Amino acid sequence: MITNQKSSFRKLCLKRLKEVSLQSKYIKNKIVIDNLNKIIKEKKANNILLYIPLKLEVDVKPLINSLRKAKKNVYVPFMQEDSFKAVKYRLPLKQKRFGIKEPENSFLKTRKIDLAIVPIVGIDKLKKRIGFGKGMYDRFFYRLNYKPTTVFVQLVLCKSEEILSDDYDIEADYIITG
């Protein structure tokens, strides 16, 4: 039952995200990035997990560039099997499954992530993440032996007043929307 509700909610949120205008998107991206910069500074984060954005997600590319210039360690997902590993952000990026771009695999040891910035499709009543339905972020965080500060980001908040999440769905310390 919850799976059907979750799926319907996900479709509703994706529809709302597709309807965000280009001008509105620019302003919303700026608001989110400004707030992320404040959290990064407040937390003194040096090892930051970000993502390569899809069109429906907050465009964090300018943030990635500024963090790299500030000599922060920027990591992004590299998909492996049912989850991903965090690899250092570097060019060139290649398009992989689900239209997601990622750098080449890295065999360097990832430092302990201080701050994880995670895109969401929506959140439920418990403020747990509703993503695209693949469970990759849930598995990634479950396999960590520590909990980094986690920030959910979204252009427009899409929140359900019902509990749609499973026990393993991740929660955020912060939720930032435009």
Side-chain angles (χ1 to χ4, degrees):
M1 180 70 171
I2 284 181
T3 305
N4 288 339
Q5 288 176 300
K6 194 175 193 179
S7 179
S8 296
F9 175 69
R10 182 180 289 115
K11 285 177 188 168
L12 171 76
C13 293
L14 288 169
K15 182 177 183 288
R16 286 184 58 198
L17 288 170
K18 287 176 186 170
E19 292 170 353
V20 176
S21 73
L22 203 56
Q23 182 179 7
S24 174
K25 198 180 228 184
Y26 175 80
I27 294 164
K28 290 176 183 309
N29 278 322
K30 183 162 178 16
I31 291 167
V32 174
I33 298 300
D34 288 348
N35 283 304
L36 285 171
N37 274 316
K38 288 176 189 168
I39 292 171
I40 291 166
K41 189 174 182 178
E42 173 191 315
K43 295 290 181 184
K44 297 179 174 82
N46 286 312
N47 301 308
I48 303 160
L49 175 68
L50 276 147
Y51 59 92
I52 310 298
L54 299 172
K55 286 182 181 167
L56 300 173
E57 297 172 333
V58 173
D59 184 1
V60 294
K61 289 181 294 220
L63 178 62
I64 289 172
N65 293 334
S66 67
L67 291 172
R68 292 178 75 210
K69 284 179 186 164
K71 304 292 186 216
K72 303 284 186 184
N73 293 309
V74 177
Y75 298 95
V76 293
F78 179 85
M79 289 184 276
Q80 288 188 312
E81 297 158 23
D82 65 349
S83 184
F84 65 83
K85 73 176 187 175
V87 298
K88 198 137 187 174
Y89 177 88
R90 64 189 189 290
L91 299 173
L93 301 175
K94 294 189 176 168
Q95 191 157 324
K96 299 290 254 321
R97 287 189 294 166
F98 316 119
I100 296 171
K101 292 182 179 180
E102 57 186 36
E104 288 293 321
N105 192 0
S106 173
F107 300 97
L108 300 173
K109 182 148 174 56
T110 302
R111 296 176 187 208
K112 189 174 178 181
I113 303 289
D114 302 317
L115 184 75
I117 299 169
V118 180
I120 61 172
V121 171
I123 56 172
D124 73 355
K125 184 178 182 173
L126 300 176
K127 296 185 175 115
K128 287 191 170 193
R129 179 178 189 265
I130 307 297
F132 284 95
K134 306 291 183 224
M136 292 185 160
Y137 277 94
D138 301 311
R139 289 184 197 95
F140 173 78
F141 282 97
Y142 177 77
R143 292 171 182 162
L144 288 179
N145 58 5
Y146 63 94
K147 187 191 180 306
T149 299
T150 306
V151 183
F152 288 166
V153 293
Q154 185 175 40
L155 290 170
V156 290
L157 183 62
C158 193
K159 182 179 178 188
S160 172
E161 292 306 318
E162 297 177 44
I163 297 172
L164 302 174
S165 54
D166 295 299
D167 291 341
Y168 55 79
D169 286 325
I170 62 174
E171 295 178 67
D173 298 295
Y174 300 90
I175 300 168
I176 301 175
T177 65

